[in-house]
Amino acid sequence: MSEVRFREARVRDLPAIVAMLADDDLGRNREDLQALAAYSLAFGQIEGDVHNRIIVGDKDGAAIACLQLTFIKGLSRKGAMRALVEGVRVIASERGSGVGEVLMRHAIALSKGAGCRLVQLTSDKRRDRAHEFYRRLGFVDSHEGFKLEFAP
Amino acid sequence: MSEVRFREARVRDLPAIVAMLADDDLGRNREDLQALAAYSLAFGQIEGDVHNRIIVGDKDGAAIACLQLTFIKGLSRKGAMRALVEGVRVIASERGSGVGEVLMRHAIALSKGAGCRLVQLTSDKRRDRAHEFYRRLGFVDSHEGFKLEFAP
């Protein structure tokens, strides 16, 4: 089996990342594989923000898992920095391989290394299996996650 | 009654903001009013980040309500930007006055104006009254909010 290594995403990973975001029960209707300009612009803006990054699991040069990791300084908890995780995805052929867990542990270690006091994320209430996954990693579902979406 | 206006926090608001963060059932044990250097450092870092700001409700020059508003660019939802709200507080003497709701509506309008596709926040499951407050503002508690705290 090829080894998986974890690194920051490069622009050449973008089609694979967008495909992973779209290949998801809930994400399917929110993505548009034709909207390459919009994704490219967003990728550039993320690259230009030192607090914000996309991490991929790389197997033989191909991105097979991804997540977004954002470090956010705040005043609460004595001026703590927190990490926010969004968009955790694993390519269909690698689901169940454990790569998602290793990717998350990598993100947690990066957050700790950067001085974050906590890592937080929200997960749609319909994603039961994801909730078990996060609990296994030590996350506690202590909060309600609220969203207010604007009409397009 | 004096009018409340909303503006970005200045460093002179910091003692009032920290006092609001600490005057909270859940926040009480997480804050330390003596840790002014740590709060000041965090305030400076937030001021230096164009995506991150503290908004206060100002009444006669005093900060009587606050929240943190962070804009986060992502790849999902066709490269959408989202707003994250943290640390919503109202000074004890103004609770029930409606200022919290007006402050939140201001943050929502800022987020929409900046091009965000959604506003998100998490609220501790013990904060029942806060949940009603967010629902009245149009938020939907569609997600579980997970936290992983590092030992100090």
Side-chain angles (χ1 to χ4, degrees), chain B residues 30 58 109 136 144:
Chain B
R30 297 197 294 240
D58 171 314
R136 279 200 306 276
E144 288 291 330

Side-chain angles (χ1 to χ4, degrees), chain A:
Chain A
M1 195 186 100
S2 305
E3 216 170 287
V4 178
R5 66 192 187 90
F6 299 95
R7 59 169 172 80
E8 280 204 38
R10 296 177 202 131
V11 70
R12 66 172 165 78
D13 301 312
L14 194 51
I17 296 169
V18 173
M20 283 189 269
L21 291 172
D23 184 19
D24 174 83
D25 287 344
L26 302 178
R28 208 173 307 282
N29 299 317
R30 296 196 296 239
E31 307 304 334
D32 175 359
L33 298 180
Q34 304 308 310
L36 191 60
Y39 291 113
S40 298
L41 174 64
F43 191 89
Q45 290 172 329
I46 294 166
E47 268 195 329
D49 180 350
V50 296
H51 304 298
N52 203 357
R53 72 205 66 187
I54 308 287
I55 311 284
V56 296
D58 172 313
K59 189 173 180 178
D60 300 329
I64 58 155
C66 63
L67 58 74
Q68 179 176 5
L69 184 63
T70 310
F71 297 147
I72 303 165
K73 193 77 188 185
L75 290 178
S76 61
R77 299 167 186 253
K78 295 171 228 166
M81 187 157 70
R82 64 185 68 208
L84 176 70
V85 173
E86 295 278 352
V88 182
R89 295 288 187 281
V90 174
I91 200 168
S93 57
E94 294 283 342
R95 286 178 202 155
S97 72
V99 67
E101 183 174 332
V102 190
L103 173 62
M104 278 298 300
R105 290 197 190 281
H106 178 72
I108 291 166
L110 285 176
S111 303
K112 197 169 183 178
C116 292
R117 222 72 67 76
L118 65 105
V119 183
Q120 66 186 40
L121 59 89
T122 66
S123 179
D124 194 292
K125 289 186 176 178
R126 292 167 287 180
R127 297 195 198 267
D128 292 337
R129 293 183 57 192
H131 301 169
E132 274 312 306
F133 170 77
Y134 293 123
R135 283 190 199 99
R136 278 200 306 276
L137 286 162
F139 284 85
V140 179
D141 51 330
S142 52
H143 284 62
E144 288 289 330
F146 286 91
K147 312 263 173 186
L148 172 66
E149 293 190 33
F150 298 125

